[in-house]
Amino acid sequence: MNFGKYSIDWILMSSVGLLIATSLLTLYGMAQGDFGSSIIVRQAIYVVLGVAVMVFFQRLDYRVLTRYSTHLYFFTLFILLATLIFGQNIRGTAGWL
């Protein structure tokens, strides 16, 4: 399938689809009761959002980001430093939550 000058990488999409199906089936097998079904629904929502973001970035011309590369770099450094300063240490790692 071709969207303008961009084409979908079917090997990548197939690999991602296989991983998604495997993870959802594994989660379904481990889920128990009402609590388990809410986990599966939440994970399915994350899957849909993740695939949408993947398709967006797959179609994005990466050369557009070169204009913003310096800003993105310093924003990433800021986020990393904020994690070190404000993050909570849980089992030896610092995280947001």
Side-chain angles (χ1 to χ4, degrees), residues 23-24 27 38-48:
S23 65
L24 286 176
L27 194 58
S38 68
I39 291 174
I40 294 170
V41 169
R42 187 175 59 191
Q43 189 67 25
I45 291 170
Y46 292 148
V47 164
V48 169

Side-chain angles (χ1 to χ4, degrees), residues 1-70:
M1 185 174 286
N2 197 355
F3 293 105
K5 66 178 185 174
Y6 304 107
S7 63
I8 292 178
D9 186 356
W10 288 108
I11 295 174
L12 175 66
M13 294 299 280
S14 300
S15 301
V16 168
L18 185 63
L19 285 171
I20 289 169
T22 303
S23 65
L24 286 176
L25 285 173
T26 303
L27 194 58
Y28 176 75
M30 294 181 349
Q32 297 175 355
D34 293 333
F35 179 70
S37 64
S38 68
I39 291 174
I40 294 170
V41 169
R42 187 175 59 191
Q43 189 67 25
I45 291 170
Y46 292 148
V47 164
V48 169
L49 291 174
V51 169
V53 169
M54 181 185 72
V55 169
F56 171 77
F57 278 107
Q58 188 178 17
R59 294 187 63 195
L60 180 70
D61 186 9
Y62 69 91
R63 292 172 288 226
V64 172
L65 296 176
T66 58
R67 273 185 280 178
Y68 307 107
S69 62
T70 305

